[in-house]
Structure formats: C-alpha cells, structure tokens
Amino acid sequence: MKKKSRLSNFVDSNFLDMFTVSKWMCSWSLVSAFASILALVSVVHLFLFPLTPSFNYFSQAQNSCVPNNVSAEASTNRVRGSLQPGIDLDHQFSDDLHKTVVYRGAPWKADIGGWLAGCNSVTEEVNIIEIIHGKGCKNDCSGQGVCNQEFGQCRCFLGFTGDECSERLQLNCNYPGSPEEPFGQWVVSICSSYCDTRTAMCFCGEGTQYPNRPVAEECGFQLNPPSEPDGPKMADWTKADLDIFTKNGSKPGWCNVDPDDAYALKVQFKEECYCRYDGLWGRFCEVPVLSTCINQCSGHGHCRGGSCQCANGWYGADCSIPSIVSSMREWPSWLRPARVHIPANGHLFGKVVKLNAIVTKKRPLIYVYDLPPGFNSLLLEGRHHKRECVNRIYDDKNATIWTDQLYGGQIALYESILASPYRTLNGEEADYFFVPILDSCIITRAGEAPFLSMQDHQGLRSSLTLEFYKLAYDHIVKQYPYWNRSSGRDHIWFFSWDEGACYAPKEIWNSVMLVHWGNTNSKHKNSTTAYWADNWDEIPSDIRGNHPCFDPDKDLVLPAWKMPDADALSSKFWAWTREKRKTLFYFNGNLGSAYPNGRPEPLYSMGIRQKLAEEFGSCPNKEGKLGKQHAEDVIVTPLRTENYHMDLASSVFCGVLPGDGWSGRMEDSILQGCIPVIIQDGIFLPYENILRGFNKTEIEFKLANIKKIWQRFVYRDSIMLEAERQRVAYGHIDDWAAEFLKLIEDDVFTTLVQVLNYKLHNDPWRRQIHLKKEFGLPEECLKIHS
C-alpha cells in the first residue's frame, strides 16, 4: 500500500473530521473603458519589431456593441469575423522556444463590452431562498473549534483535531536531530528554546522574565562574523545562543530584557531578535495587538492568532454565517431584508435544523465553500512572519497597517466575496462556487511546520500547493453535490503565485482560474521560474496533467494587490498630463547578475530584464558600463527610489516585465497613469524608436484611457470593509479611508462580478445544463439558455 504523505495524514485527522429594454442602447463610456483595457494590453507589441498599434483596435471594440435582440452566438461570430487572421509564429519566429501567442491572434471576446453595456446594466433583483442551518456539533467542539452548522462538523483550531476537537496535535518546531545537526535539519521554524507544540512556534519559555517573547530563527543561535566586509552575519544552526537568557545587562540578552531599560539604552540586547509573530507589537513584543483574521470575524467572533472563534449562533471562516439561533437583526446585509418561513412545528425548537429565508438579490450568485480551516484560516494562525500572505496587520493602537504583499489580493478578494450581496448560502441557486484556498500562505509558509513540510514533495512548494488543491477537490466531491453537475466548470479557484495555475491538479482544470499572470504560451510543458522551489517540471503528468498555465476562454486575470496609499491618491498621479511626464520610458527593478545584488539565475525574467538593461541601462553595471542605447529620457535602473510613484507619474511609458513569473509593474503603471509597455517572452527586443514613433495625439488618447479604468485595478471593496470595521470600533476613519471613500468607479471586485455575469450567459457549456432559474433579465439576453 502506498505510503500517505504527512499532509494527507494531517488532513485526514484534522480537516476531514470535522434589462427590461425594447430596443438597443449602447453606453459609450463603458465601451470606451473596455476599449482602453484592450489598448493597455496591446499598447506596444514590442519585440514584434517594428509594429506600432493602430486605432483599429478601438473600432473593433466599438463595433462589438450589438442590439440585445441578437443572440450571443451570432454576436460573437459577427465580431470574430472582423478580426485579423492569426500569426504563424512557427514561421515568423522560428527561434522562439515558447511559441508565444500574441494579442491579435489570441482568443478574446470583443462583444463583452456590448453585453455589459446592455444586458448586465439592466439586471434586476430576483427572489432567492437562502437556507439558514442549525445542526449542532459534538460537545460544541470542546471550545477548540467552530461548528459548521450546515453539516454539524467541527472546524478545529490549530493544534486540535477529532470529531469534537478534543484531541491535541503535536506540532514540533524542529525535525529530528542528529549529532551533526542537534536541532534538526534547518527549516523556518527551527527552535533552540521553548517550542509551543500547538502552533510550532518558538518562545523564551518558562523560567524567563518574558516567557511569551518569540525566539525565532537567528535569534536563538550563535552568529559567525560576515564572510565579506559589510556582509551579513551567518547563523550557526548547530549552536544555541545561551546569552539571550542572560540577566547581565552588559551582554546582548533578549528573554530577560526589560523593554523600558532597553529603550533607555541601559542594557544590551541581541539585534537579530525582533517581533516577527502576528498579534504582538513593539521592539520586544511587549504590546498585544489584533491578529489578522478573515474579515476580522465580521463582528461576530474573536480573532485568536488567525482563526476566528465565533460567538454563539455564528459560524464560517469569518463568522459571517448565521444559524437558526442567531438574531435576524444581526444578520449580514446580504441576507436582509428577509422573509423567514417558520416550519409548522417551529414551537418545537429542538427539531428545527434549518429555516428558509426569502431575500432579493441580483445575479450572479456565488456560493463560498466553508472548507476545513487547514485550507485558509489555519494558514493565518501561527504565521512566523506577520506580514506574509496578508494585506494588513495592526499596530500598538490596533490601527490598520497595510502591507505591500503583492499576494494580498487573494485575501482581499476572499473577504469581498464573503461580505458581498452576490453571496448565497443556497448552492442550488448559485451560479458559481468559490473554493477558498490561500495558496499564497501555503507557499510563503512552506517548511514552517510539520504539516507544511516539503519533504514528501522533493522540496517543491509547487508540488505541496498542488496537493492542497487536490485535497480540497476531494473534499468538495465527497461532501457536496455541485461539482458533477458541470464537471466543475462553474467553480472558481484562485492561484495567486508567480506563474499562476501552471501546477493546478488535472482534476480541477475545467474550472475558472483566477490568476495574476495570463500566460497563454505553449511553454506550459516547462516551468520558467528561476526559483527552484516553485519549479513544477518534476510534478508527474499523471498528477498535474498536461494543461496550459492559462486559458483565456475560461480563466480571468486579476490585478495584484497594491498597498493603499493616501498620498498617492490625493496627489492624483493617475491624472498627470503629458506635459508633466518628462521621461519617455521608465523601469525600476532587479536587472540580473550584471548589476550589484542582482539575481544570478539566467532564467530570471526569462532574460528579458537583463537584455533590456544591456541595451538601455541608465546606471553603470558591475563593469561600469551603461546600456548601448542609453538616453537621458529613458530610465532602466536597479537602484531603489524613494519617490517611486512620482517617478512613474513623471513617465509616459513604463515597463511591465516578468520576474520569476508575473510582477506588479502593470498595476504600478496604471495606478500612476503611465502607459504600460508589456514585454513578455518569445518576441524580439524593443527599440527606442518605437516609443518615439507615437505622435502626441496617440499618447494623449492612451493617457486619457488610463484615467477611465485605473480604479478597476484597486481592491477598493476590501479596503472599505476594513475602513468600516475601524469606524465601528473606534468611531473615526483614517486618512487612507477618507481618500478611498472618494472613489466611486468600478473596482477589481465589481469588475470580476461583471465578467462573471457575462460568462454566466455566454459560456457555451451552460447550453447543455437546463436549470430553471430566474435571472432578472429580458428574454433577449437569455438566448444561450434556449
């Protein structure tokens, strides 16, 4: 019998136990916005030298506005007939190893603008039956978990397992030791002090003045001098640093250092020790603060280290689902106002296990799976670096501190869906099913704890993450009836990491993949990341299958998270005029091994950043050389800048180049009103004369288009959810909230909902599924269901 992986064992024990319109009208503003999106994607097909974009793109988008009484299929055929024929890449780029699909030949639906301007804009509310459950759990989960009252199953907190969460898990900090490695093989959670085996986190422990002070990584081990001048000290992972326990103020202590004495410089302390765990603040972790939980438990629970401990009558990952014993006055807004049907035997309250509530909603409706917490909240609880995989933390006043984690969009979108009026508790009424897996936390935390070990995955974070998605699929198929109805086509999965859904298990590939990098290259047979732990080449094809990284016919690309910046918003960089933009082209980022501290791997950025720097580098490399074609108004530099946003806003064109996969440069460009120059693999080097070839009218037109759509790159909904939480808790809002309140255009989440509504009525596979649903749309918009 095949040996089960450590993760599978952990899952088994801890997870599974548990428009009415009579004639056609077209909104030119919306069409213009959509056209501008197309323009941004195709601004300069640099590398396709010397191609300059024409205005035919915009006329195509405008022509896609068709009368609503034309069927979706006819509309699609009509628009597709106007497209130019695809490019024979094998003939034109015989040396292109990745067989790139360029924009004009790539599949896309120009009719989406017409549909959103017509059908989507007149969607009306319909009556939906929401189901309020009330099944109890054994022993109320022993106070160490949350009862999912739809199934009567416990969702245990970190370190507990069993049907009633009464069994304690042993989560060791270190792997077994040896004479050569007494503290075990190095992992992020290596501990030389006291290990809390519930969380696999390291603390000073009993006998010290501050037993709950973290002792993480270098803090607990002796440090060797740097190997080169000004280099970092190197930890000796075989020798514990006993001086951190000293009470002698002349030695660099930690566990017995009084914060007041340290701040007054009366004692020494080990500089390598710091407050890295969530829920603690201050140089010496002396201030307990809020931890980051999903939607901060929606006001119906307490955040305990990352997991929500829900109040009586509430459940779900964010305590947002009411049970039959909750007060209707406290129900979330997406369930109110409601008309509740009380069963005839309702006076026998003990027999009632569910109630039906009629609520008016607009489609599309999204059902969010309440997965076992190992797929989401447990990955937040016990984090070893408080900023990893979240979009916010909290300071000593419990004020919101936004992070610059590019992967924070994953939790932002998850929270928006959970609090959205498009959410439904009735899977029978749902149009889509969202599967909440925080893969950004899996990857950033890989190796921190035994159940996140990569030892069974050849050290590959990609393989570990794939297993999580496969386990979630297994759970859904076993627990719910919805997957088989569409073969998973109406399910939504978020792959936030660098190369997107390349390593999605084959079982879920029919679904909608949300990614940050829509790579349509046929390179999917080979990983291109320069970081070995994310490489997925070694994942067997019988596990991963042979699918691409992205399918534009079904998948969606979402913007990465960008830290809310009140100053940048108030400065209105996105609206800066052409006259203020003195730089022709701008790129700031790692340029590879030719520059100090550059990434050494030749595969980094697929060699694109390196080649760009070789041609246009505006800073000397290690040899003191500038780029061959350097110019005063072309900036390609690896040097960090203190005025990054202003530098972008002062530029006409900004580079969007890959890193290990996608990077956040597209969002940076759009949010500062700079025209993005998208340079990807499989095409030739761009030359300066392409950009200089744009006349003033073209540049003004493109800058104006950016102004129309930049808010669609902002996670405003999630940001305002946090603003409201702070207002309720403290009675005021911060500067960032005041600035974001001024934004009124569609954001990332609203755009996603609009596209899902379009897909709901235009995805061909839905013709095969005959569901009697009320869609709140005129008959002309429902041709696909006939």
Side-chain angles (χ1 to χ4, degrees), residues 401-697:
I401 302 295
W402 295 107
T403 76
D404 56 1
Q405 281 277 319
L406 289 175
Y407 312 104
Q410 188 168 62
I411 193 170
L413 183 73
Y414 183 18
E415 290 179 326
S416 288
I417 294 176
L418 287 173
S420 165
Y422 295 96
R423 183 183 180 186
T424 181
L425 299 177
N426 186 351
E428 300 297 331
E429 284 284 4
D431 304 308
Y432 294 96
F433 299 83
F434 183 72
V435 189
I437 300 176
L438 298 181
D439 77 314
S440 60
C441 290
I442 298 170
I443 289 180
T444 55
R445 295 197 58 198
E448 279 190 1
F451 66 89
L452 288 175
S453 167
M454 293 186 288
Q455 286 188 326
D456 297 322
H457 297 275
Q458 307 173 66
L460 299 177
R461 305 189 302 187
S462 54
S463 177
L464 171 69
T465 308
L466 180 149
E467 185 172 353
F468 266 83
Y469 283 91
K470 176 60 166 60
L471 289 169
Y473 161 79
D474 292 339
H475 174 80
I476 289 170
V477 171
K478 178 180 178 180
Q479 192 90 48
Y480 299 86
Y482 310 123
W483 180 272
N484 290 335
R485 297 178 184 180
S486 68
S487 298
R489 291 183 179 91
D490 51 7
H491 283 56
I492 302 174
W493 310 71
F494 201 151
F495 282 78
S496 71
W497 208 246
D498 291 358
E499 290 193 287
C502 299
Y503 45 80
K506 61 183 181 182
E507 288 85 357
I508 72 171
W509 185 247
N510 278 339
S511 301
V512 178
M513 306 296 175
L514 303 181
V515 298
H516 291 317
W517 202 34
N519 194 336
T520 60
N521 298 330
S522 62
K523 74 167 189 62
H524 64 267
K525 294 183 179 179
N526 295 100
S527 176
T528 60
T529 179
Y531 188 63
W532 68 271
D534 292 340
N535 191 296
W536 40 269
D537 286 341
E538 301 303 317
I539 301 177
S541 59
D542 61 330
I543 297 175
R544 177 190 170 272
N546 194 29
H547 59 73
C549 295
F550 177 79
D551 182 350
D553 280 341
K554 68 180 184 66
D555 303 331
L556 301 172
V557 182
L558 296 183
W561 170 261
K562 286 296 174 178
M563 184 170 62
D565 190 318
D567 292 336
L569 274 184
S570 61
S571 298
K572 293 182 170 57
F573 288 145
W574 51 270
W576 276 26
T577 63
R578 171 66 183 90
E579 288 70 27
K580 283 188 174 184
R581 301 178 182 271
K582 306 301 183 183
T583 301
L584 176 68
F585 177 88
Y586 180 85
F587 180 80
N588 183 311
N590 197 303
L591 298 177
S593 60
Y595 291 80
N597 303 315
R599 288 286 295 271
E601 308 93 338
L603 280 178
Y604 178 69
S605 188
M606 306 177 197
I608 296 173
R609 295 190 186 190
Q610 298 91 317
K611 189 64 175 176
L612 187 73
E614 181 182 335
E615 294 291 329
F616 300 105
S618 52
C619 289
N621 59 20
K622 290 179 180 178
E623 298 178 354
K625 296 180 180 179
L626 298 174
K628 299 173 185 176
Q629 304 181 58
H630 66 275
E632 289 186 3
D633 59 350
V634 175
I635 298 177
V636 177
T637 177
L639 302 180
R640 292 182 177 271
T641 173
E642 295 181 359
N643 299 304
Y644 180 59
H645 291 164
M646 186 175 292
D647 289 340
L648 290 166
S650 302
S651 304
V652 177
F653 299 99
C654 293
V656 177
L657 319 178
D660 277 319
W662 63 271
S663 72
R665 299 308 197 280
M666 181 72 171
E667 293 77 5
D668 289 335
S669 301
I670 297 295
L671 295 177
Q672 317 314 322
C674 184
I675 302 171
V677 178
I678 305 168
I679 308 174
Q680 298 292 346
D681 62 333
I683 33 190
F684 297 137
L685 180 71
Y687 290 98
E688 183 182 340
N689 59 339
I690 298 179
L691 300 185
R692 297 197 187 278
F694 283 97
N695 60 43
K696 182 178 180 180
T697 302

Side-chain angles (χ1 to χ4, degrees), residues 314 322-323 325-331:
W314 296 85
S323 72
V325 302
S326 62
S327 170
M328 285 186 63
R329 292 190 298 272
E330 296 182 355
W331 282 11

Side-chain angles (χ1 to χ4, degrees), residues 218 223-235 272 597:
E218 292 92 340
L223 301 176
N224 296 324
S227 58
E228 57 186 36
D230 299 325
K233 297 178 182 179
M234 303 300 294
E272 288 74 20
N597 303 315

Side-chain angles (χ1 to χ4, degrees), residues 47 98 295 301 306 431 457 532 618 742 746:
F47 292 172
H98 299 310
N295 271 329
D431 304 308
H457 297 275
W532 68 271
S618 52
K742 299 175 183 177
D746 296 337

Side-chain angles (χ1 to χ4, degrees), residues 40 60 97 105 211 230 300 309 332 350 388 426 451 482 584 634 706:
L40 294 173
Q60 288 170 6
L97 299 180
D230 299 325
H300 298 296
Q309 189 162 11
E388 66 187 5
N426 186 351
F451 66 89
Y482 310 123
L584 176 68
V634 175
I706 293 175

